[in-house]
Amino acid sequence: MSILIDGKAHAARLREEIGRQVGRLRQHNLITPGLAVILVGEDPASQVYVRNKATQAREAGMSSFEYRLADSVPEIQLLDLIERLNCDPEVHGILVQLPLPPQVDEARVIQAICPDKDIDGFHPINVGNIATGGYGMVPCTPLGCLKLLKFQLGDLSGKRAVVLGRSNIVGKPMASLLLQEHCTVTVAHSRTRQLEEVCRQADILVAAVGRPRLVKEDWIKPGATVIDVGINRIEADGSTRLVGDVDFEGARKVAGALTPVPGGVGPMTIACLLLNTLEATCRQHGIPFPDDIMSLAWGSTSAEMA
């Protein structure tokens, strides 16, 4: 049976260190990192995400600013709010919860956020910097995936990685991060021929397609490390449950290590949001990012953690 990669435990450890660093910023620099989250509409899942982000920000000692707008909000009103937050020195990170209603141009909203405060890492400047190997804010989900891989495997150099999914939010930035770690990377998707065979060649398989249990046992190379990004709600035995993009029970028989759903990538995503907020705060004030959290954030091997 494969090793289960405990995203909750890794995220808790990372959040604890973030909280310590936030306390040091307040004590020595009189600065409190501020996270502003904007929610448009009443989508229940988005409301839960926003509430969890705000709660964990406050638990880490950060200032949390929440803005809830009606689903019918004009685009110009949302853009005006973003501009005010861009200019607010108490706000160091801005997150607009997606998706947005049809009258709002999502691309225009993302581009309106100051790149230095774009803790989601979606602004074209940040995307371009990451793709070319430069500095930029990294999207939280692929960043969390990378940290879990490094916690589990340590050095990723030379490993063959397959990213299943090519979204701008996960797939593409995940591929860029793995390339920076000197992996040999393939991005697979719905048009990929012999998809199962491509996945079977991977030492590292990251599944991020939003299709429940797509990846079967025989898609996985024995001993591979599998990161399941999918969060899919399905009906089972008269109730609903969350499953990933990987057939968990089958994958456990062949994978060397595997993230569960829930409890894998999800907790690390929010922890990385707080990490990005802390880093954005330090950079905006010209404060070096602490070496001890850099070491923890970028991972250590399982043996080092034991």
Side-chain angles (χ1 to χ4, degrees), residues 241-264:
R241 58 177 297 204
L242 294 178
V243 300
D245 291 348
V246 177
D247 180 6
F248 181 76
E249 294 304 326
R252 289 193 70 181
K253 300 174 185 177
V254 293
L258 171 69
T259 57
V261 176

Side-chain angles (χ1 to χ4, degrees), residues 263-286:
V265 174
M268 282 298 292
T269 295
I270 298 182
C272 288
L273 176 74
L274 303 181
L275 182 67
N276 280 355
T277 303
L278 175 61
E279 184 172 0
T281 304
C282 290
R283 288 186 173 273
Q284 288 165 39
H285 289 275

Side-chain angles (χ1 to χ4, degrees), residues 94-118:
I94 301 170
L95 182 150
V96 179
Q97 184 68 40
L98 304 179
L100 294 170
Q103 80 275 9
V104 178
D105 186 331
E106 187 173 291
R108 186 175 297 170
V109 167
I110 291 171
Q111 292 176 31
I113 299 172
C114 173
D116 292 339
K117 296 188 177 186
D118 169 39

Side-chain angles (χ1 to χ4, degrees), residues 4-75:
L4 292 186
I5 303 174
D6 190 343
K8 286 184 178 179
H10 289 306
R13 184 170 177 235
L14 182 55
R15 291 199 312 271
E16 182 180 358
E17 181 58 33
I18 290 169
R20 280 197 288 267
Q21 297 298 341
V22 169
R24 291 179 188 175
L25 270 180
R26 285 203 308 267
Q27 180 180 357
H28 298 296
N29 304 94
L30 304 180
I31 297 169
T32 299
L35 170 62
V37 181
I38 302 172
L39 174 64
V40 180
E42 302 292 334
D43 179 73
S46 293
Q47 289 181 332
V48 171
Y49 294 150
V50 167
R51 184 166 59 249
N52 288 341
K53 291 168 184 175
T55 297
Q56 292 192 25
R58 288 191 293 268
E59 288 176 350
M62 298 181 178
S63 297
S64 176
F65 308 98
E66 298 175 52
Y67 299 87
R68 297 174 180 266
L69 305 178
D71 190 67
S72 59
V73 64
E75 181 183 280

Side-chain angles (χ1 to χ4, degrees), residues 12-193:
R13 184 170 177 235
L14 182 55
R15 291 199 312 271
E16 182 180 358
E17 181 58 33
I18 290 169
R20 280 197 288 267
Q21 297 298 341
V22 169
R24 291 179 188 175
L25 270 180
R26 285 203 308 267
Q27 180 180 357
H28 298 296
N29 304 94
L30 304 180
I31 297 169
T32 299
L35 170 62
V37 181
I38 302 172
L39 174 64
V40 180
E42 302 292 334
D43 179 73
S46 293
Q47 289 181 332
V48 171
Y49 294 150
V50 167
R51 184 166 59 249
N52 288 341
K53 291 168 184 175
T55 297
Q56 292 192 25
R58 288 191 293 268
E59 288 176 350
M62 298 181 178
S63 297
S64 176
F65 308 98
E66 298 175 52
Y67 299 87
R68 297 174 180 266
L69 305 178
D71 190 67
S72 59
V73 64
E75 181 183 280
I76 187 62
Q77 184 177 333
L78 176 55
L79 293 175
D80 285 346
L81 172 58
I82 292 171
E83 182 57 29
R84 293 200 303 274
L85 297 175
N86 282 339
C87 299
D88 188 341
E90 301 299 315
V91 173
H92 303 96
I94 301 170
L95 182 150
V96 179
Q97 184 68 40
L98 304 179
L100 294 170
Q103 80 275 9
V104 178
D105 186 331
E106 187 173 291
R108 186 175 297 170
V109 167
I110 291 171
Q111 292 176 31
I113 299 172
C114 173
D116 292 339
K117 296 188 177 186
D118 169 39
I119 54 170
D120 254 340
F122 295 162
H123 193 284
I125 289 178
N126 286 321
V127 172
N129 284 338
I130 295 300
T132 55
Y135 169 77
M137 299 303 296
V138 181
C140 301
T141 296
L143 183 58
C145 293
L146 181 64
K147 294 183 189 311
L148 291 177
L149 286 169
K150 290 178 71 67
F151 280 132
Q152 184 64 34
L153 300 175
D155 184 15
L156 307 183
S157 297
K159 296 189 181 296
R160 179 153 194 175
V162 172
V163 179
L164 184 53
R166 53 179 170 176
S167 71
N168 292 332
I169 294 174
V170 180
K172 292 176 183 176
M174 186 78 249
S176 294
L177 292 177
L178 288 168
L179 283 170
Q180 290 183 23
E181 295 295 324
H182 310 295
C183 294
T184 300
V185 181
T186 299
V187 179
H189 45 79
S190 60
R191 304 290 180 89
T192 299
R193 296 178 182 177

Side-chain angles (χ1 to χ4, degrees), residues 189-225:
H189 45 79
S190 60
R191 304 290 180 89
T192 299
R193 296 178 182 177
Q194 299 179 319
L195 180 59
E196 299 92 332
E197 181 59 32
V198 171
C199 292
R200 269 195 296 271
Q201 297 172 13
D203 302 309
I204 295 169
L205 177 60
V206 181
V209 289
R211 293 180 60 183
R213 297 171 175 162
L214 172 69
V215 178
K216 307 301 183 186
E217 174 184 345
D218 60 356
W219 290 34
I220 299 170
K221 178 181 178 179
T225 300

